[in-house]
Amino acid sequence: MGKSIGEKIVKAIKVAVKTDEAALHKPCFDGNEWIYVKECLDSTYVSSVGGFVDRFETDLAAYTGAKYAVAVVNGTAALQIALLLAGVKPNDEVLIPALTFVATANAVSYCSAIPHFVDCEERTLGLDPRAIRVYLNSISEVRNKQCINRKTGRVIRTLVPMHTFGHPADIEGLMSVAKDFHLTLVEDAAESLGSFVNGQHTGTFGLVGIISFNGNKTITTGGGGVILTNDAFIAKKAKHLTTTAKIPHSWNYVHDEIGYNYRMPNINAALGCAQLEQLPNILKAKRELLKRYISAFKNISGLHIFTSSKGCESNYWLQTLLLDKAFAIQRDEFLRETNAAGYMTRPVWNLLNNLEPYKNSPSMNLDVAKSLGSRIINIPSGI
Ligand SMILES: *Cc1c(COP(=O)(O)O)cnc(C)c1O
């Protein structure tokens, strides 16, 4: 009797990862991590001031090509501040994918704004600029250079593309939608450090972008994030807001607005500096793993390994198995079999519009996100 598809998937993963069990992702500290963290401890500057934070910011700006980088406590906090800086005000609507991690929506909520869910395209797993354009044409109108939702009367202020698992969204198409509808563009590049579109780093296309350094991301600072921008005023404001809005002074405590204690601690940045040095090796290993996956899966019909589209260079943070529509009903069986065999696999997030806090949020038709939501399996992606 021939092997079941589940068995074939387990075999293909085993061949690609070359081990008998594998996690979805695990950080590796093969570089100067111990040295820099010790140096940080020895300096006693472990908290919100210190050389490693400044250096991490400089290194991140150099790597991404962003003019400015402001390091913060995590990606969610980075996104909250990015949204505020992009002009998001209480009761505004913010267009975000339904197919994303919950942090994207939560950051909008922290600004007392309302997530408005829009659909993805299968080609990129990111927001679909064509579908969003058609949708906005039908539900909104531009008045005084503001996009007004005719159903709710609220301002649709901002568009937030997210680069799913590191695979770049159609950022150029989305920029053009943002421009035509007078929306500010904030990139949730939490997952896409090391991903580029036509040679430009993700997270640097919008007015503001953010990256996460959580433990499960491509590189980690334990917890951490960064705000990227090319705008000097926004960069200054980002630094000010994330450091309790304190006016620099030798002894006086003057805070000129309600700020946030979101500065990345120096000890996290020490880890980050060492991790960033390892990034080229990590990206190389992820690309080699991708090649092994493509070859291991090429003779299994009904599914394929997702690769990023033309002109895009994904970091392949999480390798993605995409089932054909006919196999969606077997997804859970595949998840059971692979996990039982010792290979950690996961479905994609529940669509956010299905979660209790967001079930009444405005939304366009989400057919593609729904379909993708039933067909994506993330497979072991550690190196
Ligand atoms: C990880 C992640 C975040 C949040 O980052 P944290 O550092 O965990 O707060 C935001 N958006 C997306 C899409 C993410 O994957």
Side-chain angles (χ1 to χ4, degrees), residues 73-79 99-104 162-165 188-191 210-217 223-225 317 349:
V73 287
N74 59 52
T76 313
L79 193 54
L99 191 77
T100 180
F101 180 54
V102 70
T104 317
M162 193 279 283
H163 305 287
T164 313
F165 313 134
D188 182 344
E191 304 179 354
I210 70 100
I211 297 174
S212 163
F213 307 111
N214 191 31
N216 66 345
K217 297 297 198 308
W317 166 55
W349 316 280

Side-chain angles (χ1 to χ4, degrees), residues 229-246:
T229 184
N230 289 324
D231 183 302
F233 176 77
I234 285 185
K236 204 162 171 224
K237 191 93 204 223
K239 177 79 184 284
H240 187 61
L241 269 183
T242 55
T243 53
T244 69
K246 185 175 182 293

Side-chain angles (χ1 to χ4, degrees), residues 51 64 97 100 125 145 168 194 202 212 228 232 252 261 296 305 316 324 331 351 354:
T64 59
T100 180
L125 308 183
K145 298 196 173 170
T202 51
S212 163
L228 302 175
N252 236 342
N261 179 18
I305 297 288
Y316 292 98
D324 288 359
R331 184 196 69 176
L351 295 193
N354 291 330

Side-chain angles (χ1 to χ4, degrees), residues 182-201:
H182 298 273
L183 309 171
T184 49
L185 193 86
V186 171
E187 268 179 281
D188 182 344
E191 304 179 354
S192 62
L193 178 70
S195 303
F196 296 80
V197 177
N198 297 324
Q200 186 176 338
H201 199 281

Side-chain angles (χ1 to χ4, degrees), residues 91-98 105 108-109 113-119 135-136 139 149-156 352-355 357-366:
N91 217 32
D92 281 352
E93 292 180 15
V94 177
L95 302 175
I96 69 167
V108 172
S109 303
I114 296 146
H116 184 152
F117 298 113
V118 282
D119 207 9
Y135 175 64
L136 286 178
I139 64 128
N149 182 333
R150 279 196 270 105
K151 284 189 196 153
T152 62
R154 293 186 289 243
V155 177
I156 304 176
L352 298 188
N353 61 304
N354 291 330
L355 301 182
Y358 296 116
K359 62 175 199 229
N360 296 320
S361 291
S363 171
M364 75 182 266
N365 178 310
L366 298 169

